[in-house]
Amino acid sequence: VATLGDVIGPDNLKACLPVVLERLRNETTRVTSLKALSTVARSELKVDMAGVCGDAVLECSSFLRKNDRALKQAALTTLTDLMACYSAKLGPPLFES
């Protein structure tokens, strides 16, 4: 998605990003999904992640309460990348939660 986001088109992209978000909810694939979201957020293609960005931020913030160090580090990296690239698309109510 980070390298071929412009080739697969917006319709396929809208189907692809929710799958990555779903993988965040699976304990086995969380860290990998966080790294994938971080890579997509940092991509030079500026992929439109508005549909999943809010949910991804909420999931990442919940991971900061876990005891898994690797999960916390990946969540912080992803949150940093999402805020750096998509903070204008995230509303103030999301920051309060």
Side-chain angles (χ1 to χ4, degrees), residues 30 34 56-80 97:
R30 281 182 184 156
L34 286 169
V57 169
L58 291 175
E59 287 290 328
C60 288
S61 63
S62 72
F63 296 155
L64 296 177
R65 297 180 194 102
K66 305 282 184 187
N67 284 332
D68 186 358
R69 182 177 180 183
L71 181 63
K72 283 184 180 181
Q73 288 176 331
L76 279 172
T77 302
T78 303
L79 279 171
T80 302
S97 58

Side-chain angles (χ1 to χ4, degrees), residues 1 12-26 29 33 36-37 52:
V1 173
N12 291 332
L13 191 62
K14 287 182 182 180
C16 193
L17 289 175
V19 173
V20 176
L21 187 63
E22 183 182 319
R23 298 292 181 243
L24 278 179
R25 297 181 178 113
N26 183 340
T29 57
S33 299
L37 282 174
V52 298

Side-chain angles (χ1 to χ4, degrees), residues 25-62:
R25 297 181 178 113
N26 183 340
E27 190 172 346
T28 307
T29 57
R30 281 182 184 156
V31 175
T32 305
S33 299
L34 286 169
K35 290 179 182 179
L37 282 174
S38 181
T39 302
V40 171
R42 283 181 283 131
S43 171
E44 294 177 4
L45 296 176
K46 301 299 180 204
V47 174
D48 183 23
M49 294 179 60
V52 298
C53 205
D55 292 334
V57 169
L58 291 175
E59 287 290 328
C60 288
S61 63
S62 72

Side-chain angles (χ1 to χ4, degrees), residues 80-91:
T80 302
D81 292 336
L82 287 173
M83 290 300 140
C85 298
Y86 297 99
S87 60
K89 294 184 181 185
L90 299 171

